[in-house]
Amino acid sequence: MKDYYVIIDCDPGIDDAMAIMNAVNSENIEVKLISTVSGNLTIEETVRNALKLTEIFNVDIPVAEGAREPIKRQPIYAGLAQGTKGMGGYQFKTVKREPFILKSPDAIHYALCQNMARNTTILCMGPMTNIANLLLKYPESREMISKIVFMGGSKDENGSTVPYREFNVAYDPEAMQIVFDSNIPLIMVPMELGHIAYFTPEEQLKIKRANKVGEIFYKMFTKYNDFHVGKLGAAVHDSCSALFLTNPEIFTLEPAFLKIEYHKNNDNEYGYIKCDFNANKTNAMVCVDVEIEKFKKIIYGNLFNYN
Ligand code: RIB
Ligand code: CA
C-alpha cells in the first residue's frame, strides 16, 4: 500500500536533511507538512534549517515550528554530532521562507484535518515531543493517523548490559511512551540500521560530484561526527525511516512489543526502548535489516534529480 499523505516531524540535522531530500523526491508519497522539534539543536535552529532545506530542494512544503523542549525533561542537544548549526560544514546566511502560520502540534492537527482520508502517515525523525503534544491536545487525531514510522531506539543492546542510549529516545522518553500508549500502528527503525546505512568517504565524493545539492551534502558530512560509525562514514539514520515509507520492499520487519524503560547511570537516569521480540503481544513492527545496495541506489537516484 502506498503511504500517500505524509507529515514529517524532524530536528534537522544532517541525516534529517538527507531523509527529507529522499521523501520529497519520491513518487510514492506526498509530503504535506514538515514539522520541526528541538532535538539535535534548539527549535530556532531546526526551523531555520528545515526552511533552508525546502529552498535547496526546491519544494513548496509548509514548515512549522514545534516544541522547544521535552515534555518534562531539560533539553540535551547533539551539536557534537551535527555541528554547531546542525548542518555540519554547510553554512548559510539567509533564509527567504517564513514558518507556517500555525505551530505544532496545531500545524500537524491542521494537516491531518485537511487529509481526512485517514491514510496520513507520520514520519518521525527526531524526539516525539510534538506527536505526544498532538495526542494530548487533540486525542481524536489518533483516528486520522494510519501509522507512525519513527527512527529511534535500539533493537537490541548489542549484548551489552548497559541499554543503548539512542538520542531521539533519550531526549524525550516520556513523549515516546505517550505515543506507544496511543495504539497507533508503529514501525520502529532502530539505530542498528544506521550502523550499516552509512556513506563511506569514497561514496561521499560520489555524492559531491553529482551536482550542487550533492556538494551541499558533502559539506554537511565534513563535520558530521556520528561516533557510532566513526571514520567508516556518515550514518544516515533518518533516511532509513524515510526510505521505509518510499520503498518498504527493501526492508525486513519483525513484530515486537515496545515500551520505555529507564536506566540509572551515575547521576542521571535515561530512557530507552525495551524491544521485546518474544512477547506474547506486540505493538510494533521493527526494521531489522535493509538491502543496503538498493538503499544507496535509491538515494543516488533521488539526488540525481537535481542535475
Ligand atoms: O540517533 C540518531 C537520531 O538522533 C537521528 O534522528 C539524528 O538526527 C538525531 O536526531
Ligand atoms: Ca533526526
Side-chain angles (χ1 to χ4, degrees), residues 4-20:
Y4 197 61
Y5 288 114
V6 175
I7 293 171
I8 292 178
D9 196 67
C10 57
D11 59 340
I14 296 165
D15 59 325
D16 303 71
M18 175 64 82
I20 291 168

Side-chain angles (χ1 to χ4, degrees), residues 10-13 15-16 40 82 125-127 168 238:
C10 57
D11 59 340
D15 59 325
D16 303 71
N40 281 319
Q82 303 276 351
M125 306 190 295
N168 288 341
D238 290 335

Side-chain angles (χ1 to χ4, degrees), residues 62-93:
V63 171
E65 175 181 331
R68 60 180 52 250
E69 57 192 16
I71 290 262
K72 66 179 209 180
R73 288 167 181 257
Q74 289 306 307
I76 48 168
Y77 301 116
L80 276 183
Q82 303 276 351
T84 48
K85 294 284 181 194
M87 292 276 105
Y90 172 63
Q91 294 179 349
F92 55 90
K93 288 195 173 43

Side-chain angles (χ1 to χ4, degrees), residues 10 19 44-45 47 49 92 163 167-168 173 190 195 202 206 220 223-224 232 235 270 277-278 283 291 297:
C10 57
E44 286 78 13
E45 300 287 5
V47 176
N49 290 341
F92 55 90
F167 179 81
N168 288 341
H195 295 170
E202 298 71 34
K206 174 176 176 176
M220 290 183 191
K223 294 254 172 60
Y224 185 32
L232 280 174
Y270 65 87
F277 290 103
N278 302 310
N283 60 355
E291 293 180 71
K297 192 159 174 270

